[in-house]
Every structure is written in C-alpha cells, then in structure tokens.
Amino acid sequence: MDPVPPGRRHLPFLIVTAVLLGVIAVGGFLYLMRSNQAAETSSGSSAPAPKAKGKGGFDPNRPTPVVVDVARKSDVNIYLNGLGSVTPLKTVTVRSRVDGELVKLLFKEGQVVRAGELLAEIDPRPAQVQLATAEGQLAKDQSLLKNAQVDLERYRVLFKQDSIAKQQLDTQDALVHQYEATLKVDRAAIDNARLQLDYTRITAPVGGRLGLRQVDLGNIVRAGDANGLVVITQLQPVAVLFTVPQDAMPVVMKRMQSGEKIPVEAWDREQKARLAQGALASADNQVDPATGTVKLKAQFTNDDYALFPNQFVNVRMKLDTLSGVIVIPSAAVQRGAQGLFVFVVGPEKTVAQRVVKLGPTEGSRVAVTDGLREGDLVVVDGMDRLRPGGAVEVTGARPEIKIPEGKTKGQRRKGAEK
C-alpha cells in the first residue's frame, strides 16, 4: 500500500483553521457595528423628538389655508332667462311680375341693399310695343271724338232752325259720349303698358341682406315662379323670439303696461359672450298649453350683424334691481343638514359657521337676505377641512380685503406678497 504524501496529511488541519479564522472575523465585525449604534444612540438622546404627523404628512395643529372674500353691499339685477331664436322682421322673396328674358343682374350674393334699389332687368321690348300700340289707339279715338263733337255742334244749330229731327241730334250726342268713354279705356291701356314696362325693372321691396341667387342670366322668368330671383332678409333691426314661464307673466305685463322699456340681452350658446342689447317689443296673447310658457319678442338694432336669422341665443331679460343688498360669491355657499351656510373668518383667525338665506343670483354673485353683515370675511376656497372654531390662514384675498388684526407681522407680509 502506498504511503500518504506529506502535503495531504496536513490538509484537514488547514481547512479547520481557515473556518475558525473566518468565524472570528465575522464576529468581530458584528461587535463593532453594535458598538457604533450604541454610541450614536447615547450621543443623540438629548435631542427633542420630532412632532407626530397625521396621515399623509398633514399636521393637524397647523392652520388651514383658505381664500376669502368680503361681504359687501351692492345692487343686484333680477333677470329672467330663456332660450330664443333670431327672427328677421321681414323676409321677402323677390319675384318678377311679368314674363320675359332676364337680361341684367345688378346685385351680388350677400349684398346689403336699400329699399327701391335696382336688382335686375327683364327684356323691356314687349312692354314697349304694347305701350306704343296703346298710345296709337288713343290718338285715333281722340280724332274720332273731335269729329263727333264738331258734328254735334252743327246738329244743335240745325235743330234750332228746325232743319233736322230731334232723334238725329240725340244720336250724335250719344256718339260723342261713346268716344269719350273709349278715350278712358285707351288711357287705362296706356297706364297698364307703362306699368308692365316698369315691372321689367325689378327693385328691392325692402332693405336687408340678399341671399343666394336663384336664377341666372338668359333664363325666361315668369310671374308664377315659386323660387323667385333672390330672398331679402331684414337684419337691422332684428327680432328674437323666446319663451318664459307663465308664472312670470304678471310681472312682465305689469312692466309693459307701465310704459317702461324692459332691457333684454342676447348671449351666445355658452353664455360667455353678450351678442346684442335690445328691449322687449311685444308678448303673445296666449299660453302654450303643451309647455306652460308664453312667447315674447325682443327687438335689437343689430348694428354689427352679430345676430343671424334662425340663430339660437340665450336671452336675459332684466325685470328689477335690488339696491343695497349684501352680496357674496356663489362659491362661498355650502349646503348641509341645517340648510345653506357659509364659513366666516373672525378676528381671532378662526372660522364660524353661519346659516344664511339667499336672494336672487347675478352671474357669480348671490344676494344674502339674512345671516351676514357688510364687511364679513367669507371663505370661498379651502373649506373642505374646515370645522367650526378651527384656525385658518388666509393665503389669498382680493386687494381691497384687510387681513384680521390677530395675524402676526410676518403673516401679513406673506399674504401681501402673495
């Protein structure tokens, strides 16, 4: 059997030694780490403990930031709103009164015209021929009448001399009257021919804006054509038809009977831009039983053509004005179990909850009939975390609003900077 080499005999001893040295090194490292942690803990034991914070890092002891506005006295207009549509006062389809070929078109589509302005011409030659014929017939009948009148004078002289019978004189007198009646017919024919000649010149019956052309040059137009030549729509002034509830009619009729002009405003679909200002013109004479509303008509000058026929608009009609009432932003009003209320900021930088009674609303402002005094600061933003008696910090306000005296100098400076 071969003897074991000297290197292999010492191999187990070397492995055991290496393991022991590793264990000793790890234990020493852990001992040093624990010693350092104990030293840091003992050196920082005198430092104050941090304040506890609520959920999400919110400090419950910190004042709640809010934005305020002041309750002030102002005038509030009472408006009656409705949905209306723009309706032109006059819409006329221009048609020809005679038949003939269209030889001239003197307008452009979309043009604004005045009443009596020439728009088109029809071939006048047939009417001129009729006029010449009527004038010739009149001249012929005038000659016959003149001759009959001369014979009548002769017959009268002869009848006085007892040279002719009375019947012959009466016959001549009737012939003269017959020719006089014929002249009246001839003059009427001349007037008719001149009228037909005038009808070949088509003029605007009313002033307004022209629509699209319905016929082109060279076509034969007739008096019975349904489409006509063009449509004229009067836009200055223009009317707006809108509806209001039947319960509001007593107030409206009272104002109309007093002779006062009731202002009416037309706003766009989103009620962001005012399109025109006018006045109430008239009211319908009955209530629509299907909707329980009454139609009203307002009239606008429409100088800038902001209103267009069949356009839908929002109508605001001013019925009355409340003077010297307390007004606040509508955003300050909250609804709770006790009804409508607002948060009021006091001099001690705390909020109180006050129940209020509201009046009419105008835009973003609302009138308060009970519950507030002039000068009270109401919270308009940041009331989600407010509780009655809680501390607040005013972080935003209008320039004319004064911060309560309970604030420190640094807080007032910070609010002014913001």
Side-chain angles (χ1 to χ4, degrees):
M1 189 173 185
D2 296 334
V4 178
R8 291 189 178 181
R9 293 177 183 177
H10 300 289
L11 183 58
F13 175 77
L14 294 177
I15 295 174
V16 173
T17 303
V19 172
L20 290 175
L21 291 176
V23 172
I24 292 171
V26 173
F29 178 77
L30 294 177
Y31 177 78
L32 291 176
M33 291 294 294
R34 290 183 179 178
S35 298
N36 292 336
Q37 290 180 356
E40 291 176 358
T41 303
S42 61
S43 62
S45 59
S46 60
K51 293 183 179 180
K53 292 186 177 181
K55 184 178 180 181
F58 173 71
D59 185 2
N61 297 322
R62 184 177 180 273
T64 304
V66 295
V67 179
V68 299
D69 199 349
V70 65
R72 55 175 60 85
K73 284 188 177 181
S74 179
D75 296 341
V76 177
N77 297 321
I78 301 177
Y79 287 97
L80 190 63
N81 299 323
L83 181 64
S85 62
V86 181
T87 304
L89 295 182
K90 295 178 182 178
T91 301
V92 179
T93 300
V94 180
R95 295 185 176 92
S96 173
R97 295 188 179 185
V98 295
D99 300 344
E101 180 185 355
L102 187 63
V103 294
K104 287 185 180 180
L105 280 177
L106 305 175
F107 65 88
K108 295 181 180 179
E109 296 175 338
Q111 177 183 347
V112 178
V113 297
R114 299 184 302 272
E117 187 172 344
L118 183 62
L119 300 179
E121 288 186 9
I122 297 175
D123 187 4
R125 290 176 295 179
Q128 292 172 349
V129 171
Q130 292 180 3
L131 177 61
T133 302
E135 289 175 345
Q137 185 66 36
L138 176 63
K140 174 184 176 182
D141 292 338
Q142 284 177 340
S143 298
L144 294 176
L145 174 62
K146 185 176 181 181
N147 183 56
Q149 289 175 342
V150 172
D151 289 343
L152 178 62
E153 292 298 325
R154 292 173 182 167
Y155 289 166
R156 285 175 179 171
V157 173
L158 294 175
F159 177 74
K160 290 180 179 179
Q161 296 176 357
D162 198 18
S163 299
I164 60 174
K166 182 70 168 57
Q167 181 180 0
Q168 189 175 358
L169 177 63
D170 293 340
T171 302
Q172 188 65 28
D173 184 64
L175 182 61
V176 169
H177 289 297
Q178 178 182 348
Y179 285 150
E180 289 176 347
T182 303
L183 290 182
K184 292 182 179 179
V185 174
D186 293 341
R187 292 190 181 98
I190 292 176
D191 293 339
N192 180 66
R194 288 175 178 172
L195 184 61
Q196 299 301 314
L197 184 61
D198 289 340
Y199 284 162
T200 61
R201 296 170 52 87
I202 302 175
T203 59
V206 296
R209 182 186 292 273
L210 298 177
L212 300 180
R213 186 176 67 250
Q214 302 296 323
V215 66
D216 297 325
L217 284 176
N219 285 283
I220 301 298
V221 294
R222 303 184 183 280
D225 292 342
N227 295 331
L229 302 179
V230 70
V231 177
I232 301 179
T233 302
Q234 182 178 355
L235 299 180
Q236 291 179 340
V238 72
V240 172
L241 292 178
F242 62 102
T243 58
V244 297
Q246 59 181 355
D247 297 337
M249 285 307 298
V251 179
V252 176
M253 295 305 297
K254 184 177 180 180
R255 288 288 305 276
M256 292 182 64
Q257 292 173 0
S258 65
E260 301 179 10
K261 286 188 176 181
I262 304 179
V264 180
E265 298 176 350
W267 291 70
D268 63 355
R269 188 178 298 238
E270 298 179 355
Q271 297 191 11
K272 292 183 179 179
R274 185 175 63 187
L275 302 178
Q277 290 179 290
L280 185 64
S282 60
D284 200 357
N285 58 358
Q286 58 184 349
V287 177
D288 187 352
T291 59
T293 58
V294 180
K295 291 182 180 179
L296 301 181
K297 178 186 286 187
Q299 187 166 318
F300 300 83
T301 57
N302 199 27
D303 296 330
D304 55 354
Y305 295 101
L307 300 179
F308 208 74
N310 298 329
Q311 176 185 2
F312 287 98
V313 294
N314 288 289
V315 179
R316 297 178 61 190
M317 183 171 59
K318 182 180 176 182
L319 291 181
D320 200 359
T321 300
L322 298 180
S323 302
V325 295
I326 302 296
V327 295
I328 60 173
S330 302
V333 181
Q334 303 293 312
R335 184 179 297 274
Q338 70 276 24
L340 300 176
F341 67 91
V342 297
F343 286 108
V344 180
V345 179
E348 302 300 328
K349 299 181 296 182
T350 58
V351 293
Q353 186 174 323
R354 288 191 193 174
V355 178
V356 294
K357 293 182 180 180
L358 303 182
T361 301
E362 180 184 1
S364 61
R365 304 185 308 163
V366 60
V368 179
T369 59
D370 188 19
L372 288 179
R373 298 185 301 271
E374 184 180 7
D376 288 342
L377 293 181
V378 295
V379 179
V380 297
D381 192 11
M383 63 276 289
D384 297 340
R385 296 177 178 176
L386 292 182
R387 297 294 182 270
V392 295
E393 177 186 359
V394 178
T395 61
R398 293 185 178 179
E400 66 271 15
I401 300 176
K402 295 182 179 180
I403 305 301
E405 295 299 332
K407 287 188 174 295
T408 63
K409 185 182 296 183
Q411 289 174 331
R412 288 197 295 269
R413 186 184 301 112
K414 182 178 180 181
E417 293 174 356
K418 289 189 177 181

